[in-house]
Amino acid sequence: MALLEILHYPDPRLRTQAAPVTDVNDDIRTLINDMAETMYAAPGIGLAATQINVHKQLIIIDISESRDHLQVFINPEVMSKESEITTEEGCLSVPGIYESVTRAEIITYRALDAQGKKIEEKVSGLLAVCIQHEIDHLKGKVFVDYLSRLKQQRISKKLLKQQRQAM
Ligand code: NI
């Protein structure tokens, strides 16, 4: 297993559109293991392949308290949305920033699991929000995009300064 480098906003590579996974094979499962190690070490509750500069439609989520319930979503798609919820979101690609974002509260999604088996499920609350946040990454979108232009500029400036200081 290996720890992977997470891209930080406003890195333009976070704008890349991810391509569908055509074969759920051992290479994909190795990538999932490395992503899981990276997410748990960060620590975070979700990670999209885009964030580690791999542009495949693959996301992982673990919202459990015990940090031992990894969920894998390959080629995820939201089929329907119901109702709205506003929650405070953060992102491993936007360290230290937490802002309110409104999304669908209930979604029905389709995806493949780590064995390539089809999943279709209706979920709500934090898991629904997380799936939408991570699917956005696969489309080149970051939660900061939902904020005002002024907030986006402030966050961008702050993170660029942090990145320069880290060099
Ligand atoms: Ni994120």
Side-chain angles (χ1 to χ4, degrees):
M1 298 225 282
L3 278 182
L4 307 165
E5 193 195 331
I6 298 174
L7 301 179
H8 283 176
Y9 181 85
D11 192 312
R13 290 172 292 181
L14 286 170
R15 299 303 178 188
T16 314
Q17 297 275 329
V21 173
T22 50
D23 184 18
V24 182
N25 54 27
D26 286 344
D27 289 345
I28 290 292
R29 284 183 281 271
T30 300
L31 178 62
I32 290 166
N33 287 337
D34 289 345
M35 282 175 61
E37 196 189 6
T38 304
M39 178 184 77
Y40 288 125
I45 59 171
L47 189 68
T50 309
Q51 294 176 272
I52 48 120
N53 202 28
V54 172
H55 302 288
K56 291 182 178 152
Q57 291 176 14
L58 164 62
I59 66 182
I60 59 168
I61 291 174
D62 187 344
I63 54 165
S64 70
E65 286 284 335
S66 48
R67 313 289 288 150
D68 60 358
H69 187 65
L70 186 73
Q71 290 183 271
V72 175
F73 306 84
I74 297 168
N75 302 339
E77 248 184 298
V78 174
M79 310 308 292
S80 66
K81 296 180 176 186
E82 282 169 58
S83 167
E84 281 191 343
I85 187 172
T86 301
T87 58
E88 187 109 309
E89 292 191 21
C91 178
L92 292 177
S93 292
V94 194
I97 307 289
Y98 300 90
E99 294 283 350
S100 289
V101 177
T102 301
R103 299 188 188 267
E105 185 180 9
I106 304 164
I107 62 164
T108 301
Y109 74 86
R110 264 187 207 163
L112 300 175
D113 69 13
Q115 273 65 50
K117 202 178 102 221
K118 282 182 189 163
I119 335 165
E120 182 167 337
E121 198 185 12
K122 188 172 184 172
V123 294
S124 63
L126 180 59
L127 182 56
V129 166
C130 261
I131 291 172
Q132 292 170 85
H133 174 119
E134 301 306 335
I135 288 179
D136 271 356
H137 279 301
L138 303 179
K139 295 177 174 168
K141 200 164 178 178
V142 182
F143 85 98
V144 177
D145 301 350
Y146 294 99
L147 309 176
S148 70
R149 188 60 69 183
L150 184 65
K151 270 190 177 167
Q152 291 180 34
Q153 284 166 358
R154 279 189 192 147
I155 292 168
S156 179
K157 226 173 136 182
K158 189 174 171 185
L159 292 190
L160 283 171
K161 194 176 162 193
Q162 278 174 10
Q163 287 158 34
R164 275 195 306 271
Q165 285 167 348
M167 274 176 195

